[in-house]
Amino acid sequence: MVYMMRTASLPFKQAFSLVELSIVLVILGLLVGGVLSGQSLIRAAELRSISSDYSRYIAASQSFRDKYFALPGDMTNATAFWQEAHATPATCRTTVGTGTATCNGNGNGTIASFSLGVDEHFRAWQHLANAGLIEGTYTGVTGAAHASEDANPAVNVPRGRISNSGFGFNPVGSVTNAADTNYFVGNYGNAMHFGGNGAANMYYPLIKPEEQWNLDTKMDDGLPHQGFVRSFKTASTLTPGCAAASNIAYDLVATGNLCSIVFTTGF
């Protein structure tokens, strides 16, 4: 008798070859590289927009002054052009008007803050928008988050391209005390801030020291304490802030978002 041995058939297993795995890894590398490159390009565009927006707002303010013989926000006869939000000045400063209704400034040449008894630094953006010199609509009054002033991008100040960022006027004037915790010594006049709204009027740091140095170098002198592009000294609650310990150079070793910008306006 002949016995025949039967063998069980084994399933055929498929697997990637080394060539196929190499191709997959190359594709993944290209995708990751493309994402990182795309993020870098987006960030570069956001940073470039800071200088272009600053230039646009300065040009708009100068055009406003040429047309109305006053600075936006400080204009004493704004209600003659755009109606009044409230007839009583003390009440007007906290009243959001209907349409273009606004309030007059005091005409002293300073775009004054809420703490000085007026809200000119918020009304300024409303005046510029009412005049058709910038896009958007603005309330002209402070927000509710802070007792003295609260800037909210796209509500009472213009929004920047970087998330949560915006621009705000601030009547810094002349700083003579080197121990000032917010500003370097120098004449700022009606300064313009770029930053976040985490600390009242767009002071909060949103960009890295290297990023501000790059922007400052392209626009001005590359130094945080002088020129028309300067660093907010304390970077809100963070230390050492945007500038190095010497305060005469950017802290390029630091990698956090430690910087907000102070622009001098020339008016």
Side-chain angles (χ1 to χ4, degrees):
M1 181 181 293
V2 178
Y3 293 94
M4 298 182 66
M5 183 178 292
R6 299 180 61 188
T7 57
S9 60
L10 298 175
F12 179 72
K13 294 183 179 180
Q14 290 183 328
F16 289 110
S17 68
L18 290 177
V19 173
E20 290 171 326
L21 287 174
S22 299
I23 293 173
V24 170
L25 291 174
V26 169
I27 293 173
L28 288 175
L30 291 173
L31 289 173
V32 172
V35 169
L36 294 177
S37 178
Q39 291 175 338
S40 178
L41 290 173
I42 291 172
R43 185 65 173 181
E46 290 174 341
L47 294 171
R48 285 196 302 271
S49 72
I50 299 173
S51 60
S52 60
D53 286 342
Y54 161 77
S55 298
R56 182 158 50 90
Y57 296 140
I58 291 297
S61 300
Q62 292 171 337
S63 296
F64 187 98
R65 183 172 56 178
D66 291 341
K67 183 175 181 179
Y68 297 104
F69 309 104
L71 291 174
D74 191 48
M75 183 181 182
T76 59
N77 60 339
T79 57
F81 290 90
W82 302 301
Q83 300 184 335
E84 61 187 3
H86 197 280
T88 304
T91 305
C92 193
R93 69 187 294 224
T94 58
T95 301
V96 178
T98 301
T100 60
T102 188
C103 301
N104 293 326
N106 59 18
N108 68 351
T110 298
I111 304 177
S113 65
F114 189 91
S115 60
L116 297 178
V118 290
D119 234 355
E120 293 179 355
H121 65 331
F122 292 134
R123 290 292 176 186
W125 300 112
Q126 185 186 46
H127 289 179
L128 288 171
N130 286 351
L133 294 171
I134 63 173
E135 297 178 350
T137 56
Y138 303 97
T139 64
V141 303
T142 185
H146 298 278
S148 60
E149 59 180 356
D150 178 31
N152 295 294
V155 178
N156 55 10
V157 298
R159 183 192 300 277
R161 286 277 300 275
I162 295 175
S163 178
N164 196 40
S165 71
F167 290 81
F169 284 113
N170 193 35
V172 178
S174 181
V175 177
T176 58
N177 184 4
D180 189 292
T181 58
N182 295 326
Y183 300 96
F184 295 106
V185 170
N187 183 29
Y188 292 80
N190 294 297
M192 185 182 296
H193 282 265
F194 172 83
N197 70 336
N201 192 18
M202 310 318 299
Y203 304 144
Y204 199 76
L206 282 180
I207 59 178
K208 296 176 176 61
E210 182 180 351
E211 292 174 331
Q212 180 157 337
W213 167 81
N214 187 282
L215 186 70
D216 191 342
T217 301
K218 290 176 180 176
M219 295 180 67
D220 193 20
D221 57 8
L223 299 173
H225 67 296
Q226 65 182 35
F228 73 91
V229 181
R230 305 180 192 182
S231 170
F232 191 58
K233 200 171 182 180
T234 62
S236 187
T237 58
L238 303 178
T239 55
C242 195
S246 63
N247 281 336
I248 59 173
Y250 287 103
D251 187 4
L252 301 179
V253 177
T255 58
N257 290 329
L258 301 172
C259 304
S260 67
I261 305 173
V262 185
F263 294 103
T264 61
T265 60
F267 51 75

